[in-house]
Amino acid sequence: MKGQKTHPPRTVSSAAMYGSAWLVTAVFILSNSPTPLYVYWQNRLGFSTGTLTLIFAFYIAGLLGTLFIAGQLSDRFGRRRVLIPGLVSALLACILFAGSGSVASLAIARLLTGIAVGVMVSAGMAAVGDFADNGRRRQAALLASVSMVLGAGLGPLLAGSVAQISSQPAHPVFIIGFIVLSSALWVALRLPYPTPPAKQIQRMPLRLPRIPRENRPHLTCGILAFGPSITATSFVLSLGPSLLSRLLHIQNPIIAGGIACAMFLTATGIQFALRHWNVRRIFFASAGATILAMVCLIAAVQYSVAWLLILAALFAGAGQGLGQLGGLTLIGLHVPDNRRAEASAVMNIGGYIPAGLLPVAAGFLIDSLGLASGATLFALVVIVAATAGGIFISGLLRKDSATPDTHSSAVTPENS
């Protein structure tokens, strides 16, 4: 049949699925490893909260710029040709982080990290699905999503633990990261990625990523859920340690890393716990968790209560995990194989634009209005976005009532 892909034997495809997932995990370990070290770098280099969020914005800029082309290149020329440069960018970022002595070096390292993450959330996650037959599409979507949030949680836990026992934590943290990423590069060079048909390898003018018209409701739902939720987790990653230090007078790096880790472990666990829910319920739960996260954040900064900040991080993780799972599930079930990486790129572009802009705005608001006022304004904006997203998702899924898995979780063998 035209467009149908040939799968390797099931045992080979299962190993390849998990191997591809390891690439995603390894890069996301790097992506959030700097989180517990921001206060260390702030004290050492003397930059403001606004500058801190700008450094984080370089990560978002690299990610978004990569998403515009990585999915298209991966779908047309094959996963390997895109994944290898992405892993090399991550290795270079490790080297820069380990020797960081200026704001500029941190910004460049974050830019390279964003490029690597952009490759993984488009080509890397699509590669996990490449080795799944029709009966394992939801399993592949879950594995891709969990591999991302698991790595995102392990990174800050590693960095916080090392920073607790070392006065110069950057060197050992990123040496470990370099070793982990080297193993991922070794795996990527050996995985049996499918080769695109010769007619698919053609000269490609650069263009905005796009998806088939019939899949636009699916991607819109994913963006509306994923955008507010990942904006909430981005705030915790970029400004969480500063909140702990300035508002709650907690400067322990392992606590900052542990909160970020717990946030993403919550995202991982809730995906497993609710994986049999239908997509509509998953999206609504994502919106509800994100709203609760922001309510807890407002209460934490207004009343200086540490446990409320921790609760905000956990709810934010749950919101991101569910929003991401719902979006990837719709992509895996409905988007054609040769457009899946591009579709994943579209969903992540829609999510990461607010995740980059709003925390930066919050950082400068905090500098000008104070910590409590700036964080509260940020939280109110996210609450409005999550509420509006839930309402629009309800309307889109009602119109798209023919969409499999929208109203029933009994779609694939894994759901029965």
Side-chain angles (χ1 to χ4, degrees):
M1 184 180 295
K2 184 179 179 180
Q4 185 176 9
K5 63 182 180 182
T6 301
H7 291 277
R10 191 177 182 91
T11 54
V12 175
S13 64
S14 294
M17 277 176 56
Y18 286 99
S20 296
W22 171 240
L23 310 187
V24 178
T25 299
V27 168
F28 272 90
I29 287 174
L30 168 68
S31 72
N32 292 336
S33 291
T35 297
L37 305 181
Y38 283 139
V39 172
Y40 160 76
W41 282 319
Q42 269 189 300
N43 294 334
R44 181 183 170 200
L45 301 176
F47 51 81
S48 67
T49 302
T51 300
L52 171 60
T53 54
L54 278 177
I55 292 171
F56 186 80
F58 269 82
Y59 163 76
I60 302 295
L63 190 156
L64 289 174
T66 305
L67 287 175
F68 279 114
I69 60 172
Q72 299 174 60
L73 293 172
S74 170
D75 283 337
R76 296 202 180 203
F77 299 103
R79 310 295 186 215
R80 192 189 312 276
R81 296 185 182 183
V82 178
L83 291 173
I84 300 303
L87 289 167
V88 171
S89 295
L91 289 166
L92 292 174
C94 276
I95 295 171
L96 285 174
F97 276 130
S100 58
S102 67
V103 170
S105 63
L106 288 176
I108 295 171
R110 288 304 276 164
L111 180 71
L112 290 170
T113 303
I115 291 170
V117 170
V119 167
M120 288 303 150
V121 298
S122 53
M125 289 186 170
V128 177
D130 287 341
F131 300 104
D133 53 34
N134 290 332
R136 294 192 294 168
R137 290 299 179 88
R138 282 189 65 119
Q139 178 187 350
L142 177 64
L143 180 60
S145 187
V146 165
S147 65
M148 170 182 168
V149 293
L150 181 62
L154 291 175
L157 181 62
L158 164 68
S161 300
V162 173
Q164 182 68 19
I165 60 176
S166 174
S167 60
Q168 300 288 332
H171 288 87
V173 166
F174 294 106
I175 288 172
I176 295 171
F178 191 92
I179 294 170
V180 169
L181 286 162
S182 296
S183 75
L185 180 61
W186 183 86
V187 171
L189 290 169
R190 284 156 177 79
L191 283 174
Y193 292 112
T195 302
K199 63 180 180 180
Q200 192 170 306
I201 302 176
Q202 53 186 286
R203 185 176 181 182
M204 180 189 66
L206 292 180
R207 56 172 174 78
L208 292 175
R210 57 192 180 196
I211 55 171
R213 182 180 299 274
E214 62 271 19
N215 297 128
R216 290 176 186 173
H218 309 133
L219 267 294
T220 302
C221 288
I223 291 168
L224 290 174
F226 185 55
S229 60
I230 199 170
T231 300
T233 57
S234 293
F235 180 88
V236 174
L237 290 171
S238 59
L239 293 175
S242 292
L243 288 177
L244 287 170
S245 175
R246 293 173 53 184
L247 184 67
L248 305 175
H249 309 294
I250 298 173
Q251 298 185 354
N252 192 321
I254 197 169
I255 294 178
I259 290 174
C261 178
M263 178 171 70
F264 287 108
L265 290 181
T266 300
T268 303
I270 201 164
Q271 290 182 70
F272 279 108
L274 305 185
R275 66 188 184 278
H276 296 307
W277 279 19
N278 64 61
V279 175
R280 181 192 295 272
R281 291 178 68 192
I282 288 174
F283 281 140
F284 290 165
S286 172
T290 302
I291 292 169
L292 286 173
M294 295 299 97
V295 171
C296 289
L297 175 62
I298 292 172
V301 298
Q302 292 295 332
Y303 300 105
S304 299
V305 180
W307 68 265
L308 283 173
L309 183 61
I310 296 171
L311 197 59
L314 297 180
F315 276 126
Q320 181 187 328
L322 292 173
Q324 180 178 296
L325 176 62
L328 289 176
T329 298
L330 289 182
I331 289 173
L333 289 172
H334 306 294
V335 177
D337 295 338
N338 64 340
R339 304 296 295 276
R340 192 183 301 119
E342 192 171 1
S344 180
V346 170
M347 189 184 85
N348 281 280
I349 288 170
Y352 275 106
I353 286 176
L357 295 177
L358 290 180
V360 170
F364 285 101
L365 282 172
I366 287 170
D367 283 339
S368 60
L369 301 178
L371 193 56
S373 297
T376 297
L377 285 174
F378 166 84
L380 289 173
V381 171
V382 175
I383 287 172
V384 171
T387 303
I391 293 170
F392 278 110
I393 287 171
S394 179
L396 285 169
L397 292 183
R398 189 177 297 113
K399 291 178 182 178
D400 195 31
S401 59
T403 298
D405 196 59
T406 296
H407 302 287
S408 171
S409 61
V411 177
T412 65
E414 298 91 62
N415 280 4
S416 55

